[in-house]
């Protein structure tokens, strides 16, 4: 079952206006499914396959010759050398729009290459997990009884709603292992994956709270530098978001501590060991609700033109 996404019109419009369209988002957010349904006539190549990524990186000209536009390149960050050659190909036919659609699940790495090579040539979007609007349009928004609790604990990854018989604990266990083994090792040389997993779970207990890196480093038993690096990894791969505070003085927004949120309430619930049967009496109930509501606010804002900005506000009495 294909779940229609609110981002569809933005992507279709961008493909008519820009030579390159870039879609970022966490793994399993549905990037590939969305693009293959919206652009069925495009060739498709995934650099998730190490052999293809190596080929694209080693000989990008031959790779692009063998895969002419219109082309979707999935997980393009695995071949950073490809970007300069895509730029050259676009510049040879600059007035032709929708030539390449690129996806990536490592946002910072992808955006660095876009900024270096494709500035002014690419429209960039981020795909979030499913929203309640999208679930409602598909007729599967769980509103009856404890259905909303099920949503909070199951989360909004598309695969969990395309296949509602799938066990969410199995999904998140696999997701976490894959994430640790692939993305963490790819972005950062973590000396102990066990320490990193403990860090993720301790960070989950802080979702919706002001981030105190010193306390977190003490609880995990690592340096503050390691915490900074690991938070950057989670941001880069779309697992968390840092929400800056609002101050009338713009400079203060940049120096005061942000709040930390996991992007998906289901992954958060899994990391906290909470399911729908115990959510109502869990001390993390409020944090899970806040994480969910912030995610819905972001999605509503992201998929409309003329996006706003979101901050959190805290006065001296809070």
């Amino acid at each position: 079952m294909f779940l229609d996404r609110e981002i569809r019109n933005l992507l279709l419009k961008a493909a008519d206006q820009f030579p390159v369209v870039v879609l970022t988002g966490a793994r399993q957010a549905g990037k590939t499914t969305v693009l293959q349904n919206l652009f069925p006539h495009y060739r498709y190549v995934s650099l998730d396959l190490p052999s293809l990524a190596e080929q694209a990186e080693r000989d990008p000209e031959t790779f692009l010759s063998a895969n002419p536009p219109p082309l979707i390149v999935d997980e393009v960050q695995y071949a950073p050398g490809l970007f300069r050659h895509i730029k050259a190909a676009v510049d040879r036919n600059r007035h032709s729009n929708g030539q390449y659609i690129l996806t990536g699940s490592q946002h910072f790495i992808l955006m660095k290459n876009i900024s270096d090579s494709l500035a002014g040539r690419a429209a960039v979007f981020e795909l979030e997990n499913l929203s309640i609007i999208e679930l409602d349009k598909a007729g599967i928004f769980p509103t009856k009884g404890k259905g909303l609790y099920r949503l909070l604990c199951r989360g909004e990854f598309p695969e969990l709603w395309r296949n509602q018989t799938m066990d969410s604990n199995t999904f998140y266990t696999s997701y976490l292992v894959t994430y640790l083994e692939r993305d963490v090792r790819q972005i950062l040389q973590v000396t102990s994956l066990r320490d990193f997993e403990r860090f993720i779970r301790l960070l989950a207990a802080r979702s919706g709270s002001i981030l105190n890196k010193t306390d977190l480093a003490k609880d995990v038993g690592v340096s503050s530098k390691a915490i900074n690096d690991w938070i950057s990894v989670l941001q880069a791969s779309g697992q968390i978001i840092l929400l800056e505070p609002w101050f009338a003085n713009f400079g203060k927004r940049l120096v005061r501590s942000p709040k930390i949120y996991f992007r998906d309430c289901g992954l958060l619930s899994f990391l906290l060991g909470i399911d729908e049967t115990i959510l109502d009496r869990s001390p993390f109930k409020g944090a899970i609700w806040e994480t969910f509501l912030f995610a819905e606010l972001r999605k509503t804002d992201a998929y409309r033109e003329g996006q706003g900005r979101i901050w959190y506000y805290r006065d001296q009495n809070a």
Side-chain angles (χ1 to χ4, degrees):
M1 175 178 64
F2 173 63
L3 300 172
D4 199 15
R5 307 300 299 271
E6 291 291 292
I7 200 173
R8 70 183 329 270
N9 290 334
L10 292 176
L11 293 172
L12 290 169
K13 183 177 179 180
D16 284 337
Q17 296 179 340
F18 289 85
V20 181
V21 176
V22 179
L23 185 61
T24 70
R27 287 189 178 277
Q28 297 292 317
K31 300 183 295 295
T32 303
T33 302
V34 167
L35 293 176
Q36 289 186 320
N37 276 272
L38 290 182
F39 304 97
H41 59 291
Y42 277 54
R43 296 172 182 267
Y44 172 81
V45 179
S46 175
L47 300 190
D48 238 349
L49 295 172
S51 58
L52 284 178
E54 182 182 356
Q55 176 191 344
E57 181 69 9
R58 185 181 65 249
D59 192 354
E61 288 189 7
T62 299
F63 176 84
L64 291 177
S65 295
N67 298 283
L71 175 67
I72 298 171
V73 183
D74 213 352
E75 299 297 347
V76 69
Q77 75 274 353
Y78 291 131
L82 194 59
F83 287 89
R84 294 192 307 275
H85 293 268
I86 290 176
K87 173 183 179 293
V90 165
D91 287 348
R92 286 194 295 268
N93 194 13
R94 184 62 187 271
H95 298 294
S96 176
N97 292 327
Q99 297 179 51
Y100 296 95
I101 300 179
L102 312 177
T103 84
S105 55
Q106 296 175 7
H107 182 80
F108 291 167
I109 296 174
L110 184 61
M111 290 311 301
K112 180 182 184 303
N113 285 297
I114 297 296
S115 299
D116 290 346
S117 301
L118 295 174
R121 299 166 178 83
V124 181
F125 301 94
E126 183 173 20
L127 182 66
E128 296 264 8
N129 287 352
L130 290 169
S131 67
I132 54 175
I133 292 174
E134 291 163 339
L135 286 169
D136 188 47
K137 285 184 176 180
I140 54 176
F141 182 48
T143 56
K144 296 181 179 179
K146 293 286 187 178
L148 194 52
Y149 279 19
R150 180 171 184 251
L151 174 62
L152 291 173
C153 294
R154 191 170 180 82
E156 295 174 300
F157 280 94
E159 188 59 33
L160 287 171
W161 294 100
R162 273 195 293 266
N163 180 5
Q164 295 186 51
T165 62
M166 180 182 292
D167 179 71
S168 60
N169 282 332
T170 301
F171 173 86
Y172 285 118
T173 298
S174 174
Y175 187 86
L176 191 60
V177 169
T178 302
Y179 171 67
L180 288 174
E181 290 298 328
R182 297 201 59 179
D183 288 346
V184 172
R185 290 189 187 277
Q186 178 77 20
I187 301 174
L188 191 65
Q189 293 298 316
V190 176
T191 56
S192 172
L193 287 178
R194 182 172 296 179
D195 284 346
F196 189 83
E197 184 172 355
R198 184 167 68 252
F199 155 74
I200 292 178
R201 295 184 185 278
L202 287 169
L203 191 65
R206 291 163 166 81
S207 188
S209 300
I210 294 175
L211 180 60
N212 186 321
K213 296 178 183 178
T214 302
D215 285 352
L216 185 57
K218 187 183 302 182
D219 289 347
V220 179
V222 297
S223 68
S224 295
K225 180 183 183 304
I227 294 297
N228 280 324
D229 291 343
W230 293 356
I231 285 174
S232 294
V233 169
L234 291 178
Q235 285 183 279
S237 53
Q239 305 304 320
I240 64 168
I241 188 166
L242 299 183
L243 180 64
E244 300 296 335
W246 166 261
F247 289 100
N249 182 324
F250 179 76
K252 288 186 177 179
R253 294 181 217 164
L254 302 181
V255 297
R256 299 296 178 94
S257 296
K259 294 183 80 171
I260 164 72
Y261 288 94
F262 273 72
R263 283 183 174 264
D264 187 83
C265 57
L267 178 59
L268 173 62
S269 296
F270 170 78
L271 290 169
L272 294 172
I274 295 171
D275 63 26
E276 59 198 270
T277 65
I278 64 172
L279 175 61
D280 203 34
R281 59 182 184 274
S282 169
F284 295 108
K285 177 182 176 181
I288 292 172
W289 267 107
E290 185 176 340
T291 297
F292 167 72
L293 292 172
F294 177 47
E296 293 304 313
L297 185 60
R298 283 198 322 274
K299 294 166 192 175
T300 300
D301 183 64
Y303 300 153
R304 64 182 177 87
E305 297 191 47
Q307 297 177 12
R309 288 290 305 275
I310 304 173
W311 293 276
Y312 79 88
Y313 178 78
R314 184 188 188 198
D315 63 23
Q316 294 179 346
N317 298 318

